[in-house]
Amino acid sequence: MQSVDPYLLIIEASVIIILSFFFGEVSKRTNIPSVLMLIILGILIKLGLDAFGFGNLNFFPILEILGIIGLIMIVLEAALELKLERDKYLAIGKALVVALVGLGASTWVAAIILERFIDGMTTQSAWLYATPLSILSSAIIIPSVTGLKGHKREFHIYESTFSDILGIMLFYFLTSQLPISEAAGETLDVVEHTGGGLAFFGNVVLTIVLSLIASYAIVLIFQNIKSHVKLFLLIAVLLLLYAVGKRLHLSSLIIILIFGLLIANMRLFFRGPLKKLLNYKKALHIYEGLHVVTVETAFVVRTFFFVIFGVTITLSSLLSVDVAIVSLLIILSIYVIRFVVLRIFIGSDILPQLFVAPRGLITVLLFYAIPTEASIANFEPGVLLFIIIGTSLIMTLAMVVDKKRTTSAIRKVADAPVGYERWKAPTLSDAVVESKSHE
């Protein structure tokens, strides 16, 4: 095996992080998801590795680890942003319902398409393959909707976070119904058949109870730690709880979600006798530091995950007619279902929300986590790449159009004649407010 210069690796890693930062800045100005640029960078690196004879390197173990850590950081980052305030309960409830109904309907239709067009695909395997393709990517959505304001931005944060959690829970539930034993080295533990849905939801309830106990204990213990070196210690504890929970067949991601919600909403969770135990000032300092560390860590992990994903994909599969047909049908079903769900639960003001439905990190992670015993040889990974790129480009176009529409409405008000503006002030002002609310 050829040795690699460690300094060269440091240079390459540093350049990738710097480029990722600039990709993020470009994304803010153009609404092109930085994820697409990272994947393209990975493809270019793959071409370079092939040219220098390193094309046979196995990046999958690194992709697994980065995917798991990235998943934890993204969910924690999203949970720290969720403020459970009384005036937001309705918005949170709507986002939860939209995420749940959208996930279920999209998975069902995608499973029908996969079973119909892919040889050897059983109903059970079709649902297992369809689930990752039906989960919204909070890793793409949250950074991409920063330009939106008010209830629309909050809706996307809530919805994508719920979609991540619910989608992963559905995936675990489906794997728990497979009559196979646990295999060493799998990314996701395959839970043995334990009695169906009732046992699974009992598992979820148990996880929630243990998560609340652990979260209270962590906050109360860490607020009394005087050492300045404790934020990464806290991250290590969360990673430990996640990994141990996985080995015990618990829905470990719920642990991360509940801890994030608890520390972000301490006044809500620490009431009555518990309030006396909380040193709010010290706990708030932990929250602020954890928020910064989580955002920075998620950025780095997300960067290398998508670059390495770009290195591992095979572009030739995109040229397959069968891949294109299956992918386009699934993409079409995504937006038809989303239109119906948003119209029912949100109303007529569904732009650009309708087109903000990209697939990303969790889709890739769960796809690679499908147990070997349940995998279908005839399924082309190009479907995965096609749907990720397609939904991301559609979201990009929708965000650009929405931005131009809003800017145009504001300019009309600014360019109106002085006398005309005064005479029409109430109506024009209302138009601008409404236009901004659409953001």
Side-chain angles (χ1 to χ4, degrees):
M1 181 178 178
Q2 293 179 320
S3 61
V4 180
D5 185 350
Y7 295 104
L8 182 60
L9 290 177
I10 293 174
I11 292 172
E12 292 170 347
S14 300
V15 170
I16 289 173
I17 292 177
I18 293 171
L19 288 175
S20 179
F21 172 79
F22 284 108
F23 290 165
E25 295 302 308
V26 172
S27 178
K28 291 177 183 178
R29 290 168 172 76
T30 63
N31 291 114
I32 299 174
S34 59
V35 168
L36 289 182
M37 292 180 263
L38 291 173
I39 292 176
I40 293 173
L41 177 61
I43 293 172
L44 295 177
I45 292 176
K46 170 65 173 175
L47 296 176
L49 290 174
D50 290 339
F52 287 97
F54 293 98
N56 59 346
L57 293 176
N58 182 17
F59 289 95
F60 184 68
I62 302 176
L63 193 66
E64 284 186 299
I65 296 173
L66 288 175
I68 294 171
I69 297 176
L71 180 62
I72 295 171
M73 291 296 104
I74 288 169
V75 171
L76 180 58
E77 179 186 359
L80 293 174
E81 294 282 352
L82 294 178
K83 300 297 182 180
L84 302 179
E85 300 170 357
R86 187 178 298 275
D87 60 339
K88 295 182 179 179
Y89 286 167
L90 180 60
I92 293 174
K94 283 185 177 181
L96 175 60
V97 172
V98 169
L100 179 60
V101 176
L103 174 69
S106 296
T107 303
W108 175 53
V109 175
I112 293 174
I113 295 172
L114 292 176
E115 188 176 3
R116 169 67 178 82
F117 287 93
I118 297 179
D119 293 335
M121 182 72 74
T122 64
T123 301
Q124 191 176 37
S125 295
W127 273 82
L128 201 56
Y129 275 84
T131 300
L133 299 175
S134 305
I135 301 174
L136 298 175
S137 174
S138 60
I140 298 177
I141 291 176
I142 292 177
S144 299
V145 298
T146 53
L148 300 181
K149 296 180 181 180
H151 65 282
K152 290 193 175 184
R153 178 176 177 274
E154 290 180 348
F155 169 78
H156 287 302
I157 293 175
Y158 296 146
E159 184 199 17
S160 60
T161 302
F162 288 136
S163 182
D164 287 350
I165 300 297
L166 294 171
I168 293 168
M169 290 174 63
L170 175 60
F171 186 86
Y172 281 129
F173 172 74
L174 294 172
T175 56
S176 72
Q177 305 309 301
L178 294 172
I180 55 178
S181 59
E182 185 179 352
E186 290 181 0
T187 305
L188 296 177
D189 296 323
V190 180
V191 183
E192 295 179 358
H193 197 85
T194 57
L198 184 61
F200 175 79
F201 288 110
N203 175 289
V204 172
V205 172
L206 176 62
T207 305
I208 292 174
V209 172
L210 294 177
S211 299
L212 284 171
I213 296 172
S215 298
Y216 276 111
I218 290 172
V219 172
L220 294 177
I221 292 172
F222 272 79
Q223 71 177 5
N224 294 317
I225 296 179
K226 296 181 179 180
S227 173
H228 295 291
V229 184
K230 58 184 176 182
L231 292 178
F232 275 100
L233 175 62
L234 177 54
I235 295 292
V237 170
L238 292 176
L239 291 175
L240 176 63
L241 289 174
Y242 179 88
V244 171
K246 293 288 295 173
R247 302 309 301 174
L248 296 176
H249 307 308
L250 299 176
S251 301
S252 294
L253 209 60
I254 294 178
I255 299 173
I256 308 301
L257 175 65
I258 288 181
F259 172 77
L261 289 174
L262 186 144
I263 198 170
N265 301 273
M266 290 179 286
R267 294 191 186 278
L268 176 64
F269 285 92
F270 285 87
R271 292 184 174 183
L274 291 174
K275 186 177 182 180
K276 298 178 181 179
L277 300 176
L278 179 69
N279 187 324
Y280 184 75
K281 185 176 181 180
K282 290 183 178 179
L284 182 63
H285 181 69
I286 295 174
Y287 164 76
E288 292 172 347
L290 182 63
H291 194 279
V292 173
V293 171
T294 302
V295 170
E296 297 280 357
T297 306
F299 164 75
V300 173
V301 173
R302 193 161 48 216
T303 293
F304 286 106
F305 178 85
F306 282 111
V307 169
I308 294 176
F309 174 64
V311 172
T312 59
I313 61 178
T314 304
L315 291 177
S316 59
S317 62
L318 291 177
L319 302 178
S320 170
V321 176
D322 292 336
V323 167
I325 292 174
V326 172
S327 301
L328 289 173
L329 286 175
I330 292 177
I331 290 174
L332 178 62
S333 71
I334 288 172
Y335 294 107
V336 171
I337 291 170
R338 189 164 178 79
F339 173 80
V340 174
V341 173
L342 290 178
R343 284 286 293 175
I344 292 174
F345 295 103
I346 302 298
S348 58
D349 184 16
I350 58 174
L351 294 176
Q353 300 98 300
L354 171 62
F355 301 106
V356 180
R359 273 52 178 164
L361 188 147
I362 293 182
T363 297
V364 178
L365 176 62
L366 294 185
F367 172 77
Y368 284 116
I370 294 174
T372 304
E373 294 84 347
S375 63
I376 303 298
N378 292 324
F379 182 86
E380 287 283 354
V383 172
L384 191 72
L385 181 60
F386 201 109
I387 292 175
I388 290 175
I389 294 177
T391 53
S392 296
L393 291 176
I394 290 172
M395 183 192 73
T396 299
L397 180 60
M399 296 292 285
V400 170
V401 171
D402 183 74
K403 186 175 182 178
K404 288 183 178 180
R405 179 177 59 84
T406 303
T407 303
S408 177
I410 295 175
R411 285 179 178 175
K412 286 182 180 179
V413 176
D415 295 340
V418 176
Y420 176 78
E421 184 178 350
R422 290 176 181 173
W423 179 61
K424 296 287 289 183
T427 305
L428 289 171
S429 177
D430 292 341
V432 175
V433 171
E434 183 176 353
S435 174
K436 289 183 177 180
S437 70
H438 286 172
E439 295 182 336

